[in-house]
Amino acid sequence: MSRTAMRASEKDFENARNQLKLLTKDPGNEVKLKLYALYKQATEGPCNTPKPSMLDFINKAKWDAWNALGSLPKETARQNYVDLVSSLSPSSESSSQVKPAAANEKQPGSENIIVTSQDGITKIMFNRPSKKNAITTSMYKEIIHALKAASTDNSAITVFTGNGDYYSSGNDLTNFTDVSPNSIEETAKNASILLREFVDAFIDFPKPLVAVINGPAVGIVVTLLGLFDAVYASDKATFHTPFSELGQSPEGCASYTFPKIMGPAKAAEMLIFGKKLTAGEACAQGLVTEVFPESTFQKEVWTRLKTYAKLPTNSLRISKELIRSNEKEKLHAVNAEECTVLQGRWLSEECMNALMNFMSRKSKL
Ligand SMILES: CCCCC/C=C/C(=O)SCCNC(=O)CCNC(=O)[C@H](O)C(C)(C)COP(=O)(O)OP(=O)(O)OC[C@H]1O[C@@H](n2cnc3c(N)ncnc32)[C@H](O)[C@@H]1OP(=O)(O)O
């Protein structure tokens, strides 16, 4: 996955400011607004000035851009500023594809998440098809980083999809198996912290978030869908949350979003009893926006998304904010609670037995 150093220093920030002065090509108003907003956030923190009048167009646009960064931490704003300037420098690739990481900055397993940006769309793709795109600990971290970068990049919308026959088989169940008995509590605690940060990144994501579900989806990638703004599915996709079977419990805010989306009875069938839904069923229950025949899925969906990505980006973001902002506080509280409950579940005998069963499944066949 593309990345520069995780935390830009004051020096990097200063260098980026100087680099900006050397730009030969005007980056355009939208990018300039982003740079302005990130600079203000990095140096002064969240927007703290009165809103300019509607007729003061330029200052109003600058204020909106800064204000849209909400409570983004100063360090993250500094990093995003450095990343954005670096992407504009003449030495950057001319295409909007995200650059491969420099060799010494590459994280282990970072090819498992591929991030590209084109046609106003940032695409975050699960790329571990031989393991059905199961998500490892480092992939969670990469996704958090990718979402933070996408929140201030040039794209209008951000899309998740999977490479291969699966969208994703959810949490990599071996995340918990290479653990010595005396460090199991600490592992569960760390996993709970990581999960909370991961789900928070979806709750706080400021732009339209779309899932392009190319095949079966299991576990956390299903529960998260309640935090997406549109979900397009191939008719070969399925939606499965086998938490009870695994001795676990729902995450991704699904204990709150699913009953709201599909009603408590249908949510219970999925989240408590682990009923697997077809794409058509998931659409009928409101979890999926639209189902497409597999033969035309990719073409139809990406054509549509490219059209959507041409809509005014600020308007897209502001409309999303209006739809979602009332729920944010509640969602963060739900996320915290679900992570605490799961931390306990991971230490339970039921969960340990389920993981052992998964590991020994092949040898039993
Ligand atoms: C820290 C944050 C925690 C967040 C909490 C999240 C919770 C969840 O997401 S719960 C859901 C967890 N996922 C599962 O329970 C799925 C487990 N996998 C399966 O049931 C099956 O593999 C399958 C139905 C997804 C696919 O079955 P099949 O078509 O028969 O293919 P294989 O089983 O042979 O799979 C190929 C290959 O991939 C490995 N694999 C698949 N899924 C996972 C996974 N989730 N974790 C780890 N590994 C997985 C599978 O073991 C095979 O590997 P090889 O044997 O090495 O070929």
Side-chain angles (χ1 to χ4, degrees):
M1 196 185 80
S2 160
R3 61 185 63 244
T4 51
M6 285 289 284
R7 281 186 185 277
S9 63
E10 289 285 356
K11 182 98 183 99
D12 296 330
F13 190 55
E14 193 53 40
N15 286 343
R17 290 189 57 201
N18 292 331
Q19 205 181 329
L20 197 58
K21 293 179 196 148
L22 301 175
L23 280 188
T24 48
K25 199 171 139 208
D26 185 337
N29 285 340
E30 206 170 310
V31 173
K32 283 197 266 190
L33 276 177
K34 270 182 194 140
L35 287 166
Y36 168 82
L38 288 169
Y39 179 80
K40 294 292 273 184
Q41 192 88 3
T43 52
E44 295 179 35
C47 182
N48 55 9
T49 58
K51 187 174 184 173
S53 91
M54 290 296 282
L55 297 177
D56 186 359
F57 296 115
I58 296 178
N59 285 321
K60 169 80 172 36
K62 287 162 99 175
W63 187 93
D64 282 342
W66 183 14
N67 191 47
L69 295 180
S71 56
L72 189 76
K74 278 184 169 182
E75 304 72 45
T76 313
R78 194 163 64 187
Q79 176 65 55
N80 292 348
Y81 180 92
V82 170
D83 285 345
L84 183 52
V85 172
S86 149
S87 74
L88 300 171
S89 78
S91 58
S92 295
E93 287 180 0
S94 54
S95 94
S96 55
Q97 286 274 319
V98 173
K99 288 187 295 173
N104 61 353
E105 291 161 355
K106 201 168 181 188
Q107 302 289 311
S110 62
E111 69 279 4
N112 292 332
I113 296 292
I114 294 189
V115 185
T116 50
S117 201
Q118 211 168 14
D119 300 319
I121 301 171
T122 289
K123 180 167 86 171
I124 302 176
M125 185 167 70
F126 303 114
N127 183 41
R128 209 180 161 221
S130 65
K131 298 286 180 185
K132 309 291 182 194
N133 294 329
I135 308 173
T136 60
T137 302
S138 61
M139 287 164 75
Y140 286 109
K141 293 178 185 165
E142 288 168 33
I143 292 169
I144 294 170
H145 184 73
L147 281 174
K148 290 202 169 133
S151 67
T152 54
D153 71 10
N154 290 339
S155 63
I157 59 181
T158 296
V159 178
F160 274 81
T161 194
N163 186 19
D165 58 343
Y166 262 64
Y167 176 66
S168 165
S169 61
N171 190 38
D172 187 308
L173 295 174
T174 64
N175 284 343
F176 292 117
T177 50
D178 285 341
V179 180
S180 72
N182 47 4
S183 63
I184 190 132
E185 291 201 1
E186 198 182 340
T187 304
K189 187 171 167 213
N190 290 340
S192 173
I193 292 169
L194 176 62
L195 177 62
R196 185 164 168 192
E197 194 190 345
F198 179 72
V199 176
D200 276 347
F202 285 84
I203 297 171
D204 290 331
F205 192 70
K207 297 177 183 176
L209 200 51
V210 179
V212 172
I213 313 280
N214 54 297
V218 188
I220 187 158
V221 297
V222 177
T223 56
L224 282 175
L225 295 178
L227 302 175
F228 278 66
D229 302 298
V231 179
Y232 298 122
S234 152
D235 59 8
K236 77 177 177 84
T238 52
F239 299 82
H240 191 199
T241 48
F243 299 126
S244 300
E245 200 179 300
L246 291 166
Q248 298 189 28
S249 51
E251 23 47 8
C253 295
S255 61
Y256 177 71
T257 57
F258 277 29
K260 278 193 85 172
I261 291 169
M262 58 185 79
K266 293 293 183 189
E269 262 203 312
M270 275 194 90
L271 296 177
I272 303 178
F273 300 121
K275 182 180 179 196
K276 189 197 284 188
L277 301 191
T278 62
E281 288 166 339
C283 191
Q285 290 176 16
L287 186 61
V288 164
T289 312
E290 193 170 334
V291 181
F292 297 81
E294 169 62 12
S295 55
T296 56
F297 176 59
Q298 297 289 345
K299 187 162 182 277
E300 284 194 64
V301 168
W302 289 106
T303 304
R304 185 180 302 188
L305 290 175
K306 281 178 196 170
T307 310
Y308 288 169
K310 289 191 182 116
L311 292 165
T313 51
N314 286 334
S315 188
L316 290 174
R317 210 181 47 216
I318 288 163
S319 298
K320 167 162 180 165
E321 174 77 7
L322 278 173
I323 295 170
R324 298 266 170 187
S325 62
N326 294 335
E327 292 281 54
K328 266 194 189 171
E329 207 177 315
K330 174 72 184 169
L331 290 169
H332 283 299
V334 170
N335 182 27
E337 173 69 8
E338 287 178 345
C339 292
T340 304
V341 172
L342 251 181
Q343 187 177 332
R345 288 278 78 213
W346 288 326
L347 299 173
S348 72
E349 207 180 322
E350 287 178 345
C351 181
M352 308 245 180
N353 287 340
L355 294 181
M356 300 275 280
N357 284 343
F358 177 74
M359 297 310 292
S360 56
R361 195 178 47 139
K362 283 199 187 296
S363 53
K364 276 188 197 157
L365 291 173

Short mmCIF file of all heavy atoms in Angstrom, two decimals, residues 307-338:
data_model
loop_
_atom_site.label_atom_id
_atom_site.label_comp_id
_atom_site.label_asym_id
_atom_site.label_seq_id
_atom_site.Cartn_x
_atom_site.Cartn_y
_atom_site.Cartn_z
N THR A 307 -19.80 8.18 -12.70
CA THR A 307 -20.74 9.30 -12.86
C THR A 307 -20.95 9.99 -11.52
O THR A 307 -20.90 11.21 -11.42
CB THR A 307 -22.10 8.77 -13.38
OG1 THR A 307 -21.85 7.94 -14.49
CG2 THR A 307 -23.02 9.91 -13.78
N TYR A 308 -21.17 9.21 -10.48
CA TYR A 308 -21.38 9.80 -9.16
C TYR A 308 -20.17 10.62 -8.72
O TYR A 308 -20.30 11.65 -8.07
CB TYR A 308 -21.64 8.71 -8.11
CG TYR A 308 -22.99 8.03 -8.21
CD1 TYR A 308 -23.26 6.88 -7.48
CD2 TYR A 308 -24.00 8.53 -9.03
CE1 TYR A 308 -24.49 6.24 -7.55
CE2 TYR A 308 -25.23 7.90 -9.12
CZ TYR A 308 -25.47 6.75 -8.38
OH TYR A 308 -26.68 6.13 -8.45
N ALA A 309 -18.98 10.12 -9.08
CA ALA A 309 -17.75 10.79 -8.61
C ALA A 309 -17.55 12.15 -9.28
O ALA A 309 -16.68 12.91 -8.87
CB ALA A 309 -16.55 9.89 -8.86
N LYS A 310 -18.35 12.42 -10.32
CA LYS A 310 -18.21 13.74 -10.97
C LYS A 310 -19.09 14.79 -10.29
O LYS A 310 -19.03 15.97 -10.62
CB LYS A 310 -18.62 13.63 -12.44
CG LYS A 310 -17.62 12.84 -13.27
CD LYS A 310 -17.91 12.98 -14.75
CE LYS A 310 -16.93 12.15 -15.56
NZ LYS A 310 -17.57 11.07 -16.30
N LEU A 311 -19.93 14.38 -9.36
CA LEU A 311 -20.78 15.35 -8.66
C LEU A 311 -19.90 16.24 -7.77
O LEU A 311 -18.80 15.84 -7.38
CB LEU A 311 -21.80 14.59 -7.79
CG LEU A 311 -22.87 13.82 -8.59
CD1 LEU A 311 -23.59 12.82 -7.69
CD2 LEU A 311 -23.86 14.78 -9.22
N PRO A 312 -20.38 17.44 -7.46
CA PRO A 312 -19.54 18.35 -6.64
C PRO A 312 -19.15 17.70 -5.31
O PRO A 312 -20.02 17.27 -4.55
CB PRO A 312 -20.45 19.56 -6.43
CG PRO A 312 -21.44 19.51 -7.55
CD PRO A 312 -21.64 18.05 -7.85
N THR A 313 -17.86 17.66 -5.05
CA THR A 313 -17.37 16.88 -3.90
C THR A 313 -17.81 17.44 -2.55
O THR A 313 -18.12 16.68 -1.64
CB THR A 313 -15.83 16.78 -3.91
OG1 THR A 313 -15.32 18.09 -4.06
CG2 THR A 313 -15.32 15.92 -5.02
N ASN A 314 -17.84 18.77 -2.46
CA ASN A 314 -18.26 19.34 -1.16
C ASN A 314 -19.70 19.03 -0.87
O ASN A 314 -20.08 18.74 0.26
CB ASN A 314 -18.04 20.85 -1.12
CG ASN A 314 -16.57 21.18 -0.98
OD1 ASN A 314 -15.80 20.36 -0.45
ND2 ASN A 314 -16.16 22.33 -1.48
N SER A 315 -20.51 19.07 -1.92
CA SER A 315 -21.93 18.78 -1.75
C SER A 315 -22.13 17.33 -1.31
O SER A 315 -22.93 17.04 -0.41
CB SER A 315 -22.64 19.05 -3.07
OG SER A 315 -24.01 18.95 -2.88
N LEU A 316 -21.36 16.42 -1.92
CA LEU A 316 -21.46 15.00 -1.53
C LEU A 316 -21.15 14.84 -0.05
O LEU A 316 -21.85 14.17 0.71
CB LEU A 316 -20.46 14.16 -2.33
CG LEU A 316 -20.75 13.96 -3.82
CD1 LEU A 316 -19.59 13.21 -4.47
CD2 LEU A 316 -22.04 13.16 -4.03
N ARG A 317 -20.07 15.50 0.36
CA ARG A 317 -19.61 15.36 1.74
C ARG A 317 -20.60 15.97 2.73
O ARG A 317 -20.92 15.39 3.76
CB ARG A 317 -18.25 16.06 1.86
CG ARG A 317 -17.33 15.46 2.88
CD ARG A 317 -16.04 16.20 2.96
NE ARG A 317 -16.27 17.64 3.02
CZ ARG A 317 -15.49 18.54 2.44
NH1 ARG A 317 -14.45 18.16 1.76
NH2 ARG A 317 -15.76 19.83 2.55
N ILE A 318 -21.12 17.14 2.34
CA ILE A 318 -22.05 17.83 3.25
C ILE A 318 -23.34 17.04 3.39
O ILE A 318 -23.90 16.91 4.49
CB ILE A 318 -22.29 19.28 2.74
CG1 ILE A 318 -21.03 20.10 3.00
CG2 ILE A 318 -23.50 19.91 3.41
CD1 ILE A 318 -20.95 21.39 2.24
N SER A 319 -23.83 16.47 2.29
CA SER A 319 -25.06 15.67 2.37
C SER A 319 -24.84 14.44 3.24
O SER A 319 -25.70 14.08 4.05
CB SER A 319 -25.52 15.23 0.97
OG SER A 319 -25.81 16.37 0.21
N LYS A 320 -23.68 13.81 3.09
CA LYS A 320 -23.40 12.66 3.94
C LYS A 320 -23.38 13.08 5.41
O LYS A 320 -23.93 12.40 6.28
CB LYS A 320 -22.06 12.02 3.55
CG LYS A 320 -21.60 11.02 4.61
CD LYS A 320 -20.58 10.04 4.19
CE LYS A 320 -20.25 9.13 5.37
NZ LYS A 320 -19.54 7.94 5.02
N GLU A 321 -22.74 14.19 5.66
CA GLU A 321 -22.64 14.69 7.04
C GLU A 321 -24.04 14.89 7.63
O GLU A 321 -24.31 14.52 8.77
CB GLU A 321 -21.84 16.01 7.00
CG GLU A 321 -21.75 16.77 8.31
CD GLU A 321 -20.74 16.19 9.28
OE1 GLU A 321 -20.01 15.26 8.89
OE2 GLU A 321 -20.71 16.65 10.44
N LEU A 322 -24.94 15.47 6.82
CA LEU A 322 -26.31 15.70 7.30
C LEU A 322 -27.00 14.38 7.64
O LEU A 322 -27.71 14.27 8.64
CB LEU A 322 -27.13 16.42 6.22
CG LEU A 322 -26.96 17.93 6.16
CD1 LEU A 322 -27.70 18.49 4.95
CD2 LEU A 322 -27.49 18.58 7.43
N ILE A 323 -26.78 13.39 6.78
CA ILE A 323 -27.46 12.11 6.99
C ILE A 323 -26.91 11.39 8.22
O ILE A 323 -27.63 10.77 8.98
CB ILE A 323 -27.30 11.21 5.73
CG1 ILE A 323 -28.03 11.84 4.55
CG2 ILE A 323 -27.81 9.80 5.98
CD1 ILE A 323 -27.73 11.18 3.20
N ARG A 324 -25.59 11.48 8.40
CA ARG A 324 -24.93 10.63 9.41
C ARG A 324 -24.61 11.29 10.74
O ARG A 324 -24.40 10.60 11.73
CB ARG A 324 -23.61 10.09 8.84
CG ARG A 324 -23.76 9.22 7.61
CD ARG A 324 -23.83 7.77 7.99
NE ARG A 324 -24.22 6.95 6.85
CZ ARG A 324 -24.49 5.66 6.93
NH1 ARG A 324 -24.41 5.03 8.08
NH2 ARG A 324 -24.85 4.98 5.87
N SER A 325 -24.51 12.65 10.75
CA SER A 325 -23.88 13.27 11.93
C SER A 325 -24.66 13.02 13.23
O SER A 325 -24.07 12.85 14.28
CB SER A 325 -23.67 14.76 11.71
OG SER A 325 -24.92 15.37 11.53
N ASN A 326 -26.00 12.95 13.13
CA ASN A 326 -26.77 12.76 14.36
C ASN A 326 -26.47 11.44 15.05
O ASN A 326 -26.70 11.27 16.24
CB ASN A 326 -28.28 12.78 14.05
CG ASN A 326 -28.70 14.13 13.57
OD1 ASN A 326 -28.04 15.11 13.89
ND2 ASN A 326 -29.77 14.19 12.79
N GLU A 327 -25.99 10.50 14.26
CA GLU A 327 -25.77 9.15 14.77
C GLU A 327 -24.37 8.92 15.32
O GLU A 327 -24.13 7.92 15.98
CB GLU A 327 -25.97 8.13 13.63
CG GLU A 327 -27.39 8.00 13.14
CD GLU A 327 -28.21 7.13 14.06
OE1 GLU A 327 -28.24 7.43 15.27
OE2 GLU A 327 -28.80 6.16 13.58
N LYS A 328 -23.45 9.84 15.00
CA LYS A 328 -22.03 9.54 15.26
C LYS A 328 -21.75 9.21 16.73
O LYS A 328 -21.06 8.23 17.03
CB LYS A 328 -21.17 10.72 14.83
CG LYS A 328 -20.66 10.57 13.42
CD LYS A 328 -19.56 11.55 13.16
CE LYS A 328 -19.22 11.52 11.68
NZ LYS A 328 -18.32 12.58 11.32
N GLU A 329 -22.27 10.04 17.61
CA GLU A 329 -21.97 9.84 19.02
C GLU A 329 -22.47 8.47 19.47
O GLU A 329 -21.76 7.72 20.16
CB GLU A 329 -22.66 10.94 19.83
CG GLU A 329 -21.96 11.25 21.12
CD GLU A 329 -22.65 12.40 21.83
OE1 GLU A 329 -22.97 13.41 21.18
OE2 GLU A 329 -22.88 12.26 23.03
N LYS A 330 -23.68 8.14 19.05
CA LYS A 330 -24.27 6.84 19.40
C LYS A 330 -23.40 5.71 18.84
O LYS A 330 -23.11 4.72 19.52
CB LYS A 330 -25.70 6.79 18.83
CG LYS A 330 -26.39 5.46 18.99
CD LYS A 330 -26.79 5.21 20.42
CE LYS A 330 -27.40 3.83 20.60
NZ LYS A 330 -27.54 3.48 22.01
N LEU A 331 -22.99 5.87 17.59
CA LEU A 331 -22.20 4.80 16.95
C LEU A 331 -20.87 4.58 17.68
O LEU A 331 -20.44 3.43 17.87
CB LEU A 331 -21.94 5.14 15.48
CG LEU A 331 -23.17 5.08 14.57
CD1 LEU A 331 -22.88 5.69 13.20
CD2 LEU A 331 -23.66 3.64 14.39
N HIS A 332 -20.23 5.67 18.10
CA HIS A 332 -18.97 5.51 18.84
C HIS A 332 -19.21 4.76 20.16
O HIS A 332 -18.39 3.92 20.56
CB HIS A 332 -18.32 6.87 19.11
CG HIS A 332 -17.64 7.44 17.90
ND1 HIS A 332 -16.60 6.80 17.26
CD2 HIS A 332 -17.85 8.58 17.20
CE1 HIS A 332 -16.20 7.53 16.22
NE2 HIS A 332 -16.95 8.61 16.16
N ALA A 333 -20.34 5.07 20.80
CA ALA A 333 -20.63 4.39 22.06
C ALA A 333 -20.91 2.90 21.81
O ALA A 333 -20.44 2.02 22.55
CB ALA A 333 -21.82 5.06 22.74
N VAL A 334 -21.66 2.62 20.75
CA VAL A 334 -21.96 1.21 20.41
C VAL A 334 -20.66 0.46 20.10
O VAL A 334 -20.43 -0.65 20.57
CB VAL A 334 -22.93 1.13 19.19
CG1 VAL A 334 -23.05 -0.29 18.68
CG2 VAL A 334 -24.29 1.69 19.55
N ASN A 335 -19.81 1.12 19.33
CA ASN A 335 -18.54 0.49 18.96
C ASN A 335 -17.73 0.14 20.21
O ASN A 335 -17.21 -0.98 20.35
CB ASN A 335 -17.76 1.44 18.04
CG ASN A 335 -16.45 0.86 17.55
OD1 ASN A 335 -16.30 -0.36 17.46
ND2 ASN A 335 -15.50 1.72 17.24
N ALA A 336 -17.65 1.09 21.13
CA ALA A 336 -16.87 0.86 22.37
C ALA A 336 -17.45 -0.34 23.12
O ALA A 336 -16.69 -1.23 23.57
CB ALA A 336 -16.91 2.11 23.24
N GLU A 337 -18.76 -0.39 23.22
CA GLU A 337 -19.41 -1.47 23.96
C GLU A 337 -19.17 -2.82 23.27
O GLU A 337 -18.82 -3.82 23.92
CB GLU A 337 -20.92 -1.15 24.06
CG GLU A 337 -21.81 -2.24 24.65
CD GLU A 337 -21.56 -2.44 26.14
OE1 GLU A 337 -20.82 -1.63 26.73
OE2 GLU A 337 -22.10 -3.42 26.69
N GLU A 338 -19.34 -2.85 21.96
CA GLU A 338 -19.15 -4.12 21.22
C GLU A 338 -17.70 -4.63 21.39
O GLU A 338 -17.48 -5.84 21.53
CB GLU A 338 -19.45 -3.91 19.74
CG GLU A 338 -20.92 -3.75 19.42
CD GLU A 338 -21.21 -3.50 17.94
OE1 GLU A 338 -20.28 -3.17 17.17
OE2 GLU A 338 -22.38 -3.61 17.54
#
